[in-house]
Amino acid sequence: MLSTLQDLDLVFEAELPAHANTIEAINAEAFGPGRFTRAAERVREHSSHALALSRVAVLRGEVVGSVRLTPVRIGDAPVLMLGPLAVRPSFKKRGIGRMLLSLAADAARAAGETAIFLVGDRAYYMPLGYQPLPLGSVRMPGPVDEARILGLALVPGAFDGINGAVLPRR
Ligand SMILES: CC(C)(COP(=O)(O)OP(=O)(O)OC[C@H]1O[C@@H](n2cnc3c(N)ncnc32)[C@H](O)[C@@H]1OP(=O)(O)O)[C@@H](O)C(=O)NCCC(=O)NCCS
């Protein structure tokens, strides 16, 4: 029985166009049909995720986990929106989610990005460095529990003064 990340013959790499169908299946399995009604999905309808910053976990040629980063802006500040993050159920709890988040943040930093935000569970993301953003500072294009809007500054102070609607980059 495989139990740790080290035991798995896993490769982490940038997302490729050929991964799209499997990622769609993983997200469908993780979030169900309701995923298309989420506010983050409204954002993604108008802005494409960046393949070069998005990461997949691949086991013997098959994607088993995925995280996507989408370039957007909050007001005038360029930021990345993270999501969806999902791991195939049989591969959960081996550190794949954490590794995907860490590698995506590294890729973003290397590309000169300064900030990542997401809508997600505090209990999962806060131990990984994400912090709640000031209530009301990020206006999503749809209903969202504002307490779940979290940010990771890739450079110190990256979220200082950020306030506004989440919109496509100009
Ligand atoms: C969330 C998810 C991506 C984590 O992937 P993973 O590879 O299992 O993550 P890791 O192995 O890095 O971390 C697992 C730990 O996170 C915990 N965890 C998972 N989801 C959590 C949540 N929503 N809140 C708090 N803790 C959570 C697990 O219980 C586990 O804890 P343990 O290490 O004490 O056993 C995966 O559970 C998943 O695909 N879930 C369905 C989709 C989803 O909810 N995505 C996140 C949107 S906010």
Side-chain angles (χ1 to χ4, degrees), residues 36-156:
F36 295 118
T37 67
R38 290 146 47 113
E41 206 53 44
R42 298 284 82 73
V43 174
R44 288 190 282 263
E45 278 170 6
H46 299 288
S47 303
S48 302
H49 65 286
L51 290 173
L53 305 182
S54 301
R55 289 290 177 271
V56 290
V58 180
L59 180 68
R60 287 175 228 114
E62 185 77 5
V63 175
V64 298
S66 154
V67 66
R68 285 175 162 169
L69 286 175
T70 300
V72 294
R73 61 188 165 101
I74 300 174
D76 284 326
V79 299
L80 294 167
M81 188 179 77
L82 186 142
L85 165 70
V87 173
R88 282 265 192 229
S90 51
F91 293 98
K92 284 182 183 178
K93 297 201 174 204
R94 291 168 163 138
I96 295 175
R98 263 193 304 270
M99 183 64 78
L100 286 168
L101 289 174
S102 167
L103 294 174
D106 288 348
R109 202 180 282 108
E113 297 286 343
T114 61
I116 298 174
F117 87 101
L118 56 81
V119 182
D121 290 340
R122 290 184 176 202
Y124 185 67
Y125 291 101
M126 286 184 68
L128 306 176
Y130 284 81
Q131 294 292 321
L133 296 178
L135 294 182
S137 65
V138 179
R139 289 191 292 287
M140 293 288 285
V144 63
D145 176 356
E146 297 217 6
R148 290 167 51 83
I149 300 183
L150 311 175
L152 178 71
L154 301 174
V155 299

